Amino acid sequence: MRFQTALRTLTATLILSTAASAQAAWKLDGDVSQMSFQTTKMAKSGASTVETDAFTSWRARVNDAGQLSVEIDLDSASTGIDIRDQRVSEKLFESGTYPLAVMTASLDMPILKVMEPGDTQQVDVEGQLTLHDNTQNLPMSLQVTRLRGDRWLVQTLTPVMVDAEQFALVDGIRALRDLAGLGNIATQVPVNVKAVMVQED
């Protein structure tokens, strides 16, 4: 009788532990995560330059249902030149009016939850990006690696292509072009992400 009681107690404990694990959520470890984007600029002479810039302030979270949410502070664009950072924030993103870019997507959590440390999965999702008061669907090809029990690495396999025309940013790009005395700045911007996600307590 005591054995059956102990067995029922153990079974209930295992069920509760499994349920708690299934309901886990993950948040971004910002200290080891990166979000970069490339800009292609053409001088009036025709010479082109590709530069890699970054956002230094952003957050990401995945809830227990697999809903991914990413928030990017648009005034945190870092190009390595202070005056250019200010112009990107004010002239391109108009961050005083539109402070955030928000990306959402749905991940297949049942597949990800059974991964063992060291396992890697390719995950193709359709994300929704809201930027400058415009929302567009963006396909994303991600590589998800389980590092250890409570940490996951999510990386873009191919850059996420953001088209400035779809987000009413072309006028801002032209303003930056004129201020810098350039011939052209490309409106297609590749974005790459390396995100380490940590299971919340």
Side-chain angles (χ1 to χ4, degrees), residues 25-44:
W26 286 264
K27 63 181 179 181
L28 183 76
D29 183 345
D31 291 338
V32 291
S33 301
Q34 301 170 349
M35 179 180 293
S36 62
F37 59 96
Q38 289 187 330
T39 54
T40 302
K41 303 170 183 178
M42 184 174 293
K44 290 181 179 179

Side-chain angles (χ1 to χ4, degrees), residues 131-143:
L131 170 62
H132 209 243
D133 209 25
N134 289 271
T135 300
Q136 300 289 336
N137 291 335
L138 292 179
M140 297 187 294
S141 185
L142 307 175
Q143 177 176 285

Side-chain angles (χ1 to χ4, degrees), residues 34-37 53-58 72-78 93 191:
Q34 301 170 349
M35 179 180 293
S36 62
F37 59 96
D53 306 314
F55 289 104
T56 59
S57 178
W58 57 290
I72 306 161
D73 294 322
L74 293 176
D75 64 356
S76 74
S78 176
F93 293 131
V191 179

Side-chain angles (χ1 to χ4, degrees), residues 45-145:
S45 65
S48 62
T49 303
V50 177
E51 296 180 346
T52 300
D53 306 314
F55 289 104
T56 59
S57 178
W58 57 290
R59 298 159 295 282
R61 190 175 185 274
V62 179
N63 68 16
D64 59 287
Q67 298 301 311
L68 167 66
S69 177
V70 181
E71 291 185 346
I72 306 161
D73 294 322
L74 293 176
D75 64 356
S76 74
S78 176
T79 68
I81 300 175
D82 289 344
I83 186 60
R84 188 164 61 186
D85 295 348
Q86 181 181 347
R87 289 172 177 174
V88 168
S89 175
E90 294 177 356
K91 304 296 184 181
L92 177 61
F93 293 131
E94 299 180 280
S95 61
T97 304
Y98 311 103
L100 295 177
V102 178
M103 169 72 80
T104 59
S106 296
L107 303 178
D108 191 342
M109 292 305 289
I111 290 178
L112 300 181
K113 285 176 180 175
V114 299
M115 292 171 60
E116 298 290 336
D119 288 352
T120 296
Q121 289 271 2
Q122 179 175 337
V123 179
D124 296 318
V125 298
E126 187 82 2
Q128 290 78 43
L129 175 63
T130 299
L131 170 62
H132 209 243
D133 209 25
N134 289 271
T135 300
Q136 300 289 336
N137 291 335
L138 292 179
M140 297 187 294
S141 185
L142 307 175
Q143 177 176 285
V144 180
T145 303

